[in-house]
Amino acid sequence: MASQPNSSNGTQTPRDINTKREDVLSWEDYFMATAVLAAKRSKDPCSQVGACIVNDDKKIVGIGYNGMPTGCSDDDFPWTKKEKRLYVCHAEMNAIVNKNSADIKNCTIYVVLFPCDQCAKIIIQSGLREVVYLSDKHESKETTQAAKRMFDSARITYRQHIPQNRKIEIDFEEINWDATVQRAPSP
């Protein structure tokens, strides 16, 4: 049995290399984590939002984050809370526009923050069937309430994702876990 680093305390934990791993991410956590990771690309000083579109085959067909439109330098446009709304493309829009599939009808979009009214419109028009969100911190805002009203009318389901894991650590060195394991000499 080999060992692998335990990220919580730095010790080695046993790894049975002859049995499949059981501690894998659920599909839901995987897709939401992809949206959260995409959000890390956003230069927005207030809200970093990411989105991930998934088809029925559990294939990612679109990813986006909030940022300036293509060709508009984020150094040349304002990032103040009041002014940025005039320029920034939201994560949902970018995921839909930058999709890598001809059709996203009946797909699910995983998004870090519940969509605003403008994003709800493009979600409805693109044929997405479900919205899975992580946070609804703006639930009392008129734009969020309008989005929910449109989703209800268009029969698009929406639900909050409750992660199985509070945190997911990305360790770029983890792939080399077996490089530190002492190998027994061959007979």
Side-chain angles (χ1 to χ4, degrees):
M1 190 176 296
S3 296
Q4 68 177 355
N6 180 333
S7 61
S8 63
N9 62 15
T11 63
Q12 299 287 317
T13 56
R15 178 184 274 196
D16 184 347
I17 60 173
N18 298 308
T19 307
K20 75 174 186 174
R21 286 180 50 238
E22 298 293 335
D23 62 336
V24 297
L25 287 176
S26 69
W27 283 112
E28 294 263 305
D29 276 2
Y30 172 66
F31 298 134
M32 189 58 76
T34 300
V36 170
L37 186 60
K40 299 289 185 191
R41 288 282 311 140
S42 175
K43 295 178 181 176
D44 190 315
C46 183
S47 294
Q48 299 79 48
V49 181
C52 175
I53 301 173
V54 180
N55 69 16
D56 285 335
D57 294 326
K58 294 185 170 57
K59 305 281 190 258
I60 295 173
V61 296
I63 297 175
Y65 58 89
N66 56 324
M68 294 296 169
T70 303
C72 296
S73 172
D74 50 42
D75 293 326
D76 296 336
F77 287 85
W79 285 101
T80 64
K81 193 166 178 84
K82 183 177 181 181
E83 293 175 295
K84 70 179 179 180
R85 66 181 176 77
L86 299 171
Y87 306 104
V88 171
C89 295
H90 287 184
E92 300 91 332
M93 176 193 293
N94 280 327
I96 291 167
V97 171
N98 298 324
K99 67 187 183 296
N100 60 15
S101 176
D103 189 9
I104 56 172
K105 186 174 183 176
N106 294 320
C107 289
T108 299
I109 187 166
Y110 290 80
V111 65
V112 174
L113 187 60
F114 195 93
C116 69
D117 59 325
Q118 298 303 308
C119 290
K121 293 173 193 174
I122 196 168
I123 287 169
I124 292 166
Q125 292 299 93
S126 68
L128 292 170
R129 73 159 185 259
E130 183 177 31
V131 175
V132 181
Y133 60 92
L134 190 59
S135 172
D136 193 9
K137 68 180 183 178
H138 300 303
E139 65 183 326
S140 62
K141 284 189 172 183
E142 184 178 38
T143 56
T144 304
Q145 293 171 2
K148 290 178 181 180
R149 182 177 180 193
M150 286 186 280
F151 286 154
D152 291 342
S153 181
R155 293 188 175 97
I156 293 178
T157 61
Y158 52 91
R159 61 185 169 83
Q160 186 170 25
H161 175 64
I162 307 299
Q164 290 179 356
N165 299 292
R166 187 178 155 273
K167 279 185 169 182
I168 298 170
E169 180 179 311
I170 296 176
D171 179 353
F172 289 111
E173 292 296 321
E174 185 176 14
I175 192 67
N176 297 318
W177 70 270
D178 58 342
T180 59
V181 176
Q182 293 286 59
R183 291 183 172 70
S186 299

